[in-house]
Amino acid sequence: MDIRKAIVSRIAIIYFFLLLFGLVVIFKMVSVQKIKNERWEQIAKNLEENTVIVKPNRGNICAGDGSVLATSVPGYYVRIDLAAEGVKRVFRDENDSLAHYLANFFRDMPKSEYKRRLNEAYKSGNRGFMLTPRKVDYQELQKIKKFPILRRGRFGGGMLIEQENKRVNPLGTLALRTIGDLNKGAYGGVHGHIGYTGLEGAYEQYLKGVDGISYRENLSGRWITRIEIEPQNGMDVITTIDLKLQDIAESALMKQLQATGADWGTTILMEVKTGEVKAVSNLGKENGIYVENYNYALGHAGCYEPGSTFKLISLMVALEDGLIDTSTVFNTGNGVWKYKGRTIYDSDYRYGGHGEMTVKQIFEKSSNVGVAKIITSCYENKPKDYVNRIYNFGLNKPLGLEIQGEGKPFFKYPGDNDWWGTTLAWMSYGYETKMTPLQILTFYNAVANDGSMVKPRFVKEIRDNGVLVRQVKTEVLNPMIVSKETLGKAKKMLEGVCEYGTGRSLRNEWFRIAGKTGTAQIAVGVGGYQKGMYLASFVGYFPADDPQYSLIVTVNNPRGGLYYGGSVAGPVFSEIAERVYASRQLHENEQEQDDDEEKYSLPEIKKGNVENIYRVANELGIKDLSGLPLLSDSKVKKADRQNIPADNSVMGKVPDVRGMGPSEAVFMLEKAGLRVRLQGTGKVKTQSQEPGSKLVRGSYIYVKLG
Amino acid sequence: MEITQSKIFKGDRVLWIVLMLLSLLSLLIVYSSTGALAYRQASGNTWYFLIRQVFFLGAGFGLMLVMVNFLSVRIYSVLANLLIYISIGLLLVTTILKFAGLLQGTGRTLDLGFISFQPAELAKISLIMYTARVLGKNQGTRGQLKKAFIKIISHTVVICGLIFLSNFSTAALLFATIFTMMFAGRISLKYLFIVILLGMTIVAGAYIAADRFPDAPARIHTVKGRIDRFIKGDPNSEKGITQADYAKLAIYEGGIFGKGPGHSNVSNYMASAYNDFIFAIIVEEYGLIIGIMVMFLYLIFFFRSVVIVRRATRTFPAFLVTGLTVLLVYQAMINIGVSTGVLPVTGQPLPWISLGGSSLLFTSVAFGCILSVSYQNQINRETQKPAVQVNMPDEDYEMHK
C-alpha cells in the first residue's frame, strides 16, 4: 500500500474523531447555556458570598512627636478545618492531647468538655471549628500554633487564623475625646471599625485604608482563601498634640476639678501663630471620678453663655467704632443698675461698688454695670451696628472644624423675636449668647496674634508609612479683626487684668500673662439662672510681651464656695502657663545643647511590660528597639500619668516634683523659694526634702534624676 | 491550491492567518482575564501582562520566521537524536531536585538562572521529532516497523514516566500524541492494542494504589481525586463552587453573543482564568459563536496540516507535521473540553492564546517546524529542486504517488 495514502487516511480517521469531539463540545456548551439555569443563577449569587473583604490595618493617630495616641492591635481567633485530609490522618491520635492543651491554656472548660466538642465537630465534618473561646493576642497565637494537630500548619493541620484588630489608646485617657473613637457596629463591638467621633471620625478617610479582596475557592477539594487584592493600610494622622504639654494641662485641670468637685472642666492650649492645639483636655465627672467623656472644648454641651470673657469683644466693638477710648470714664455707681426694669449687679456690689472708672478699669475689675452702660450708651439706638461688628469678627459662625459635632455659636439679632429691650445690655457682658470654649479662645488668640484670626487645628500632617502625604496648613479665618490701635488697647486691658484686676493672682515674676476672668451664672432650661451654679473660666495668652500660647480654662459648676473665674480657673491657668513656659525654656535649651541626640530618638513608649513594648515596637516597625537595653524601671513612669498630689503647690510646703522633667522641677522648686541641686539625667526620681514637709525658704533641696 | 508566496511569511498562508487570528484573540483575552492576576503579581498594573504577551508573541513570530527562512527540515531529524537525551537528562535533574526538596512549587519548572522553563515542554517536541525520525526511517518492512515501535515505546515510557511524576495531564497528552503518530505511522494495530491495555492497567493500578498506599506520590492522589470527581460529581459542589463551576458559569453567562470584550467578571474569581480555563472566558466575553469559531480555527489548522502531510515528499516531515499538529490540537481540545466540562479538570493551556512565557516559545517552534515543511513542499512543487541550505544524506523514505 502506498505510504502516503495510508498515512493520510489514518490521519483522516483522527480528524473525524476530533470533529466528533468538537460536536460534543458544542452540544455541551449549548446545554450549559440552555439547561440548568437555576443552578448557574445560584452560583452567580454565591460568587458574591465567596468574596471576602480583607480589612486593612487602620492608621495610627500620633502626637506631634510621633508617640502613638491610638493604634490598632491585632487580635486573633483560631479555627480548625476538621475535614481537611491532613487532620483526618492524625485526629484519632492527637485529639486527646489537643483537648488537653486547650483546656490548660484557656482554663474555661475541663479537658473532657473540649474533647467532647472536638469529637462532635469532627463527626459532623466541621470545616471551621472555633478553638479559641476568646480573642487571643499575638504572643498567645504563637503558643497555640504549636499545639498538637495545629502545629502542622494550615494545610497539614487545618489551622485557620482570623485576625480582628482592636483599637487601643496606649497613653490611656490622654486627650481621648479629641482623638475620638470608632463606632461599635451592629454587634456591639468588633464589627464597626469606622471612625466616629473626634479625629478618628474626622480623618476616617485617611485612617481607614483601602479594603483588599480575597476569594474563597475550592481547589482540588480544599477550601482556600486567596488574597486577590492586597489591602492598603491606613495612613497615620500626626496631631498637633504635644504630649508633655498635654500632660501638664490635663493634670492641672484634674487637680482643680477634684478640689472643687465641679461637673466638668476643659482646657485648651493653642499655639498663637499657627492655631495648633498643643493640648486639649476634657474631663467630666462620672460616678465621682473624672474621665474624658465629652468634648466640652468644642461640642454642643460645652456651648455656654461665656459671661465676662465676652466683655473683651463688646469693648473692642465700641473701641473699633471710635465711640469710646480706654480712658473714657463711666460711672458704675454702687455696682447695681436698674435698666429697663431689670437689674444688673456687679459681682462685688456688696462692697459698695467702684463709682467712676475708666473703660480700662471697668474691664480690669470686670464690672457688669460698667460694660452694660458703655454698650447701651453707645448702641441703644443702633443695636444692629453692635451685632454686625460681632458678626464681622466671624464669631457667629462655627469654626468649621474637621471634628464633627462642633457647637454652634448663638447670637441674637435686633428684630428677632427673642431680641428683648434688655438683650443688648445683657449681651454686652456675655449673656443671651452662646459660644464654645474653643470659639472664645480663637478670638483671644486672634488678639494675641496681632489681629489675625487663625482656625484652630488638631492635625499637623498625614503620613503614609512615614511618607508625608498631606501637610495641614494654618488657615486664616479673618486676617485682621480690628485696627492696630484697637488691638493695642485690647492687649493693654488684658494685661491690666492680671496686673491690677481680677486676674492679679496669676502674676508671677518670670513672665506676664494677659487674660480675662469669666464667671457666668449657668442658665438651666428656660427657667432662668440657677443660684449657685457658675461657669468659671479664664482665657488669655502668655507671655504677654511676645505671645506664644493662648489658653482657656473652663470649669463648670464648681462647688464648695469658690466660683469666680479668677479663683477657680485662674490657678489652673497659671499652673499650666508656668509649667508650659518652663518646659519651653527646657526645650529651647535642649535644642541648643544637644542637637545630635535627635537621631537616636525613639517615640516615647510609656508603661507596659517589656514584652508588650517589644511587640508594639515591632508592629510599628521600630526595629531598633529590641537591640536597646530596656531599663528595669522602663516599666512604669510613675508620676507620668498620675495627678500631682493636691498639696503640691500649697504655700509653705515643699512641692512634689517627682516625675517632672528637670527644668519644670527647678522652676517649681525655685518658685517655692528653694535652692535646687540636680544630679543625674532624666526625670525626677527622688527629692531630698519630703513633699509636703515644711518649707524653709532658701534651703537647699537635692534632686536625683534617673 | 495556488497561493502566491510571501517573501517573508513563507509556508502555508492559511496557517499564518490562523496564527494571526489566534494572536489577536490572545491579546484581547489575556488583557481582560489577567485583571485579577495583575493585582496579585504586578501591583495592579493591568498593562503588565498584555505587554508581556505582546513580547512573547512577537518573539514567537520571530522564531518561526527564522525557522521558515533559514533552517532546513532535515536539521530537525539530526537534532532529534540529540534533543531527546538532553530532555531526558533535564527531566531527571528536575525530578531529583524535586525529591531532594530543592524545587519549589509543583516541581515542573527548572530555573537555569538566565531562563526558567518546563523541561516537559522541550521533551514534548524532542520526543515527537524523535518519533517522526524513527517512524520515517523504518517504513520499509514489517520488521522495521516493529523495531520502530520498540524504540519509540521505550523512549516514550521513560519520558512520559518522568513527566507523570509532576504533571499527569502533560504525560497523558504526550502519550496520546505519540500513540496517534504510531497509528498514522502504520504501526501494527496489534501492538497499539497491547499499549492501550497496558495503559489502562497502569491507570487502574494507580487508582487502586492510591487507596492502598496513602504515602504514594501526591500526583497519584490528585489523579484519583479528579477521576472520582469527574465520575461521581464533586462532593464540594454542594457546599460551594469549584473551578469547573466557574467555567460553566462563564459559558452560561456568555450566551450566544457574549458580554463584550473586557466584561468578564467570572475571571476575577478563577485562579487560572488566563490559563487552564481561558476558553470559558472567551465564551463569556465573545459568546458561543466566537467560541465555536475558535475551536474551528484549531480544526482548520489540523486540516491544513493534513494538506501539508499529503503534499510532503518524504516521510520524516510528514510524521513531524502529524505529531506536532496532533500535540497542539489535542492540547487545545483538552483545554476546550475541560473548560466546557466535557473532560475532567486538568491544566493544559490553550496553545497560542493562553498567557504564556517560555511555553509559548516552544509552541512557536512547533509551528515553525510545520511551516518549514509546508515551505519545503512549495519549493519542491515549484522548482523540483532539493532544498538549498544544507546538503545532507536522506535517511528517510520518499513517498510515492
Side-chain angles (χ1 to χ4, degrees), chain A residues 2 4 10-11 14-15 21-22 28-29 33 37 39-41 46-47 51 215 217-218 221 226 228, chain B residues 36 40 180 183 186 236 241 245-246 248 251-252 255 268-269 271 295 299 302 310 312 322 333 340 400:
Chain A
D2 181 7
R4 185 197 306 271
R10 283 184 177 209
I11 296 176
I14 305 289
Y15 195 56
F21 182 81
K28 180 80 183 183
M29 284 198 289
Q33 291 198 346
N37 283 7
R39 169 141 174 79
W40 305 128
E41 301 289 356
N46 278 1
L47 277 188
T51 305
Y215 301 118
E217 60 184 24
N218 193 305
R226 173 168 58 92
E228 197 61 73
Chain B
R40 205 156 61 226
T180 309
F183 174 69
R186 309 193 307 144
N236 293 304
I241 309 162
D245 280 332
Y246 284 131
K248 282 184 205 162
I251 289 168
Y252 168 71
N268 292 329
Y269 297 90
M295 191 169 71
L299 292 175
F302 197 103
R310 209 159 63 80
T322 308
M333 291 303 153
T340 51
H400 306 287

Side-chain angles (χ1 to χ4, degrees), chain A residues 239-545:
Chain A
T239 64
T240 55
I241 303 286
D242 183 308
L243 277 190
K244 190 182 288 169
L245 306 184
Q246 174 72 29
D247 203 29
I248 291 170
E250 193 168 316
S251 47
L253 179 67
M254 176 72 89
K255 190 175 70 180
Q256 187 68 325
L257 291 179
Q258 283 170 345
T260 59
D263 283 354
W264 55 261
T266 179
T267 176
I268 313 161
L269 179 71
M270 197 156 117
E271 195 171 75
V272 167
K273 293 277 181 304
T274 58
E276 289 187 2
V277 174
K278 291 295 181 189
V280 52
S281 180
N282 293 287
L283 296 171
K285 189 150 71 177
E286 252 177 38
N287 305 324
I289 55 163
Y290 290 96
V291 291
E292 285 251 354
N293 62 352
Y294 184 82
N295 207 332
Y296 301 103
L298 53 88
H300 303 291
C303 200
Y304 267 85
E305 291 172 307
S308 306
T309 51
F310 194 78
K311 287 172 185 163
L312 176 72
I313 297 164
S314 289
L315 294 184
M316 280 172 73
V317 169
L319 285 167
E320 183 71 2
D321 281 343
L323 301 171
I324 54 164
D325 195 4
T326 47
S327 55
T328 315
V329 175
F330 284 84
N331 189 357
T332 63
N334 60 357
V336 182
W337 185 43
K338 210 160 175 113
Y339 178 68
K340 293 192 177 175
R342 283 182 73 186
T343 311
I344 299 169
Y345 298 95
D346 275 352
S347 58
D348 52 356
Y349 74 96
R350 287 187 192 82
Y351 304 107
H354 298 285
E356 287 199 337
M357 284 198 289
T358 64
V359 168
K360 185 162 182 283
Q361 284 167 327
I362 287 172
F363 186 73
E364 285 163 5
K365 300 272 188 261
S366 198
S367 164
N368 296 340
V369 172
V371 174
K373 276 191 171 172
I374 294 168
I375 296 303
T376 50
S377 69
C378 294
Y379 293 100
E380 201 160 27
N381 301 321
K382 41 178 182 176
K384 283 187 183 175
D385 286 10
Y386 170 72
V387 183
N388 280 341
R389 196 168 283 282
I390 291 173
Y391 280 25
N392 279 344
F393 290 155
L395 294 178
N396 60 323
K397 288 189 295 276
L399 296 164
L401 301 172
E402 57 276 64
I403 294 178
Q404 292 297 302
E406 187 191 352
K408 270 206 187 103
F410 168 75
F411 290 99
K412 291 177 178 177
Y413 196 80
D416 284 356
N417 285 337
D418 52 1
W419 181 274
W420 302 305
T422 54
T423 295
L424 183 65
W426 261 259
M427 197 170 160
S428 71
Y429 62 99
Y431 288 90
E432 299 190 25
T433 57
K434 280 184 181 179
M435 289 173 84
T436 64
L438 186 60
Q439 284 154 1
I440 297 167
L441 179 66
T442 305
F443 185 82
Y444 275 74
N445 190 75
V447 173
N449 195 21
D450 293 326
S452 171
M453 190 154 106
V454 294
K455 185 168 148 183
R457 60 195 173 93
F458 297 91
V459 171
K460 208 153 62 174
E461 56 204 22
I462 314 279
R463 284 178 182 272
D464 188 5
N465 277 326
V467 179
L468 190 65
V469 173
R470 195 187 129 195
Q471 192 147 25
V472 182
K473 297 246 160 55
T474 301
E475 194 182 324
V476 177
L477 297 172
N478 187 340
M480 200 65 203
I481 49 171
V482 288
S483 67
K484 269 239 146 45
E485 297 91 272
T486 307
L487 209 60
K489 290 168 189 168
K491 282 183 170 179
K492 278 275 169 300
M493 292 198 301
L494 286 169
E495 287 163 25
V497 170
C498 298
E499 290 284 320
Y500 322 104
T502 48
R504 276 194 310 275
S505 60
L506 275 73
R507 264 188 307 182
N508 65 59
E509 54 185 286
W510 296 276
F511 61 95
R512 291 197 303 142
I513 292 172
K516 179 75 189 80
T517 55
T519 314
Q521 278 188 290
I522 296 171
V524 178
V526 283
Y529 297 94
Q530 186 89 12
K531 210 170 170 67
M533 279 183 75
Y534 292 94
L535 184 76
S537 58
F538 195 99
V539 55
Y541 55 86
F542 60 90
D545 309 314

Side-chain angles (χ1 to χ4, degrees), chain A residues 1-15 18-19 21-26 28-30 32-44 46-48 50-51 83 89 125 127 215-223 226-230, chain B residues 36-37 39-40 139 180 182-184 186-187 229 236-237 239-243 245-246 248-249 251-256 268-271 279 283 288 292 295-296 299 302-303 306 309-312 315 319 322 329-330 333 336-337 340-343 399-401:
Chain A
M1 201 168 125
D2 181 7
I3 297 178
R4 185 197 306 271
K5 230 176 205 168
I7 293 172
V8 171
S9 57
R10 283 184 177 209
I11 296 176
I13 294 172
I14 305 289
Y15 195 56
L18 281 176
L19 281 175
F21 182 81
L23 287 178
V24 172
V25 167
I26 293 171
K28 180 80 183 183
M29 284 198 289
V30 172
V32 165
Q33 291 198 346
K34 294 297 161 218
I35 313 166
K36 289 212 285 185
N37 283 7
E38 307 84 34
R39 169 141 174 79
W40 305 128
E41 301 289 356
Q42 184 66 39
I43 290 176
N46 278 1
L47 277 188
E48 283 140 41
N50 281 342
T51 305
R89 253 174 257 159
R127 306 216 72 153
Y215 301 118
R216 268 165 51 73
E217 60 184 24
N218 193 305
L219 283 179
S220 311
R222 179 159 48 210
W223 280 103
R226 173 168 58 92
I227 290 201
E228 197 61 73
I229 300 171
E230 286 284 344
Chain B
L37 185 73
Y39 269 102
R40 205 156 61 226
Q139 288 293 322
T180 309
M182 290 196 291
F183 174 69
R186 309 193 307 144
I187 299 285
R229 279 198 290 282
N236 293 304
S237 60
K239 293 178 191 165
I241 309 162
T242 60
Q243 291 254 60
D245 280 332
Y246 284 131
K248 282 184 205 162
L249 174 66
I251 289 168
Y252 168 71
E253 295 213 326
I256 296 190
N268 292 329
Y269 297 90
M270 297 173 73
F279 184 74
V283 175
L288 183 68
I292 292 171
M295 191 169 71
F296 270 96
L299 292 175
F302 197 103
F303 180 77
V306 177
V309 168
R310 209 159 63 80
R311 288 186 188 157
T315 48
F319 290 130
T322 308
V329 175
Y330 278 6
M333 291 303 153
I336 292 170
T340 51
V342 176
L343 296 176
M399 296 201 285
H400 306 287
K401 292 238 162 111

